[in-house]
Amino acid sequence: MPSSFYVPILLAGMIITGSSNSLWSKWQDMQCVENCSDPNPAHHVLYEQPVWQTLQMFLGEMLCFLPVIYTWLRARQRTAPVFLPSDLEDEPGKIDQTCEELRGWKILLLWFPAACDLTGTTLMNVGLLYTPVSIYQMTRGALVLFVGILSVIFLHRRLWLYQWVSLLTVMAGVSLVGYSGSLIKDAVHSTLHLLGSDQPEPEVTKVLVGIFFVLFAQVFTATQFVVEEKIMARYSVAPLVAVGYEGLFGALTIIMCMPILAMPSIASTSPFFDLPRGWYQFVNTPSVLWSGIVIAISISLFNYFGLSVTRHVSATARSLTDTCRTLSIWLVSLALGWEKLLFPISLLQVLGFSFLVYGTFLFNGLVNPPSFLHPPLALEETVGGEAEEGEALLASQHLDDTAALPVDLGQGGYDVLPKDVRVHAQGVSSED
């Protein structure tokens, strides 16, 4: 058990690095890369390269190979077997010891979730260009809905009534957050127009388009988790190794697509896919270059802190910490002046965030469901009070900028059920 001084460091590290991922990405989007000397801000060209930002994320995930390589080198020097750390090494009962090790050509199976991660992250980076960073982060809470639906369809999971209600609560929160964000942007735009300011502000339609991109991206992210769940149900692999391989496969995919995206016919259709221009902007703008390095390192550290919190504290603690990350992003954005508090519109955003948190916690059994939504009596011990570790369906740590696997987080399934009950439910569905 880690010391009382070590645990707060892990929690603080997860909040700081997790918040910095989104904040640095938004700051990078705001950097002027062309025509910066023009006195008219309308002629300035900002850094809008979501594909390059996705590559930054994959490079950060590849840095997770460093501790693995370090462990391997030390083991070779000591002529001892290599033991890579597992998030669940203290709980062997939650890992199927008969799982075949993921090695050889079978490692290429991780290319499928990496492709989903690539598509989803790129779409979210596009959405971030048009939305405030706090609304971007909160909108990603819709992931729980898509994972729940896909897990029922493809993994044959069973969701209870209170879980479906919690999913609707999450979507209500996302809708309120998006609606409040569009109202605030519209109000700020109108105020600047009345004051005679020429400063460009996103129109309400652009904010809604950005939210749509973020929501659509959650379909690919949810698919990523479902595919990972299918792979990890059959094969075993160390968490950092899996994250590193997905980062490697994602980076290779982007590199292989570069000749196609660099074609003039494609690059001219949108600045988002003009990779040669993006590379020139990246290497010739120090603020963009250094922020890209910081983002890659931050994502790598976020993986480390997140996995460490799960292993040394609990998956529940990681879920609660990640909720604090979303709140801290909003507070920092307000402090930096990126967002404005406009009453009573901002109260809608607070209400939407509250719905998001409550719906996620209810879905994972971290709070008691209303009496009329209680599951069968046999399950009350699990959903009442605190849920047993590892039995949550999808905690908010899945909103990370990472390829973390559900099995790495102490979750082998998507039911808030004791293990024996869940197996029985699966057996019934398989017979159908």
Side-chain angles (χ1 to χ4, degrees), residues 60-361:
E61 292 179 359
M62 287 176 61
L63 292 178
C64 293
F65 276 136
L66 295 179
V68 177
I69 296 175
Y70 174 75
T71 303
W72 179 73
L73 291 176
R74 289 195 60 184
R76 284 197 61 183
Q77 293 175 355
R78 297 177 180 178
T79 63
V82 179
F83 294 100
L84 296 176
S86 169
D87 289 340
L88 303 175
E89 60 185 1
D90 298 328
E91 301 174 55
K94 295 184 179 179
I95 300 180
D96 187 358
Q97 301 295 337
T98 63
C99 284
E100 181 183 353
E101 184 178 356
L102 189 66
R103 60 194 311 174
W105 66 269
K106 296 176 183 177
I107 294 177
L108 296 177
L109 292 174
L110 295 176
W111 208 308
F112 294 101
C116 296
D117 196 10
L118 188 158
T119 307
T121 303
T122 302
L123 290 174
M124 284 189 286
N125 288 335
V126 174
L128 183 59
L129 294 172
Y130 299 116
T131 58
V133 62
S134 65
I135 293 179
Y136 158 84
Q137 187 70 27
M138 293 179 191
T139 306
R140 295 174 65 181
L143 174 65
V144 67
L145 173 67
F146 297 108
V147 172
I149 294 175
L150 293 180
S151 65
V152 170
I153 297 175
F154 297 104
L155 299 179
H156 307 293
R157 307 298 184 191
R158 181 179 180 182
L159 299 183
W160 301 99
L161 178 59
Y162 79 94
Q163 292 176 307
W164 288 113
V165 171
S166 66
L167 292 181
L168 295 178
T169 304
V170 167
M171 287 308 301
V174 171
S175 301
L176 282 176
V177 167
Y179 180 64
S180 64
S182 62
L183 290 179
I184 290 177
K185 282 296 181 182
D186 193 32
V188 172
H189 181 76
S190 301
T191 303
L192 291 173
H193 180 72
L194 292 175
L195 295 176
S197 173
D198 294 330
Q199 181 179 356
E201 286 287 335
E203 300 174 359
V204 59
T205 53
K206 290 185 177 181
V207 176
L208 294 178
V209 168
I211 292 175
F212 170 77
F213 272 106
V214 177
L215 286 175
F216 186 50
Q218 304 316 304
V219 178
F220 293 94
T221 306
T223 304
Q224 171 194 347
F225 289 144
V226 171
V227 174
E228 287 172 342
E229 178 76 7
K230 295 287 285 186
I231 294 174
M232 305 315 294
R234 182 173 180 181
Y235 302 100
S236 63
V237 60
L240 288 179
V241 174
V243 173
Y245 272 119
E246 290 199 8
L248 174 62
F249 294 149
L252 289 176
T253 302
I254 294 179
I255 292 174
M256 289 188 297
C257 292
M258 280 185 176
I260 301 176
L261 296 177
M263 296 174 61
S265 58
I266 296 180
S268 60
T269 58
S270 171
F272 299 159
F273 302 104
D274 193 344
L275 296 190
R277 184 181 181 184
W279 171 254
Y280 175 83
Q281 295 172 348
F282 185 82
V283 298
N284 288 281
T285 308
S287 58
V288 175
L289 175 61
W290 288 108
S291 61
I293 296 175
V294 171
I295 291 171
I297 296 175
S298 176
I299 289 175
S300 178
L301 292 175
F302 183 59
N303 277 278
Y304 167 76
F305 283 119
L307 295 175
S308 297
V309 168
T310 302
R311 181 169 69 247
H312 295 301
V313 188
S314 67
T316 301
R318 184 171 178 174
S319 174
L320 297 172
T321 304
D322 201 75
T323 301
C324 297
R325 174 170 76 110
T326 305
L327 181 61
S328 67
I329 289 174
W330 186 36
L331 295 177
V332 172
S333 299
L334 291 173
L336 294 176
W338 294 355
E339 301 180 38
K340 305 293 183 181
L341 278 177
L342 297 177
F343 294 97
I345 299 177
S346 294
L347 295 179
L348 287 177
Q349 190 169 353
V350 176
L351 181 61
F353 178 70
S354 302
F355 279 1
L356 267 172
V357 173
Y358 177 75
T360 302
F361 284 5

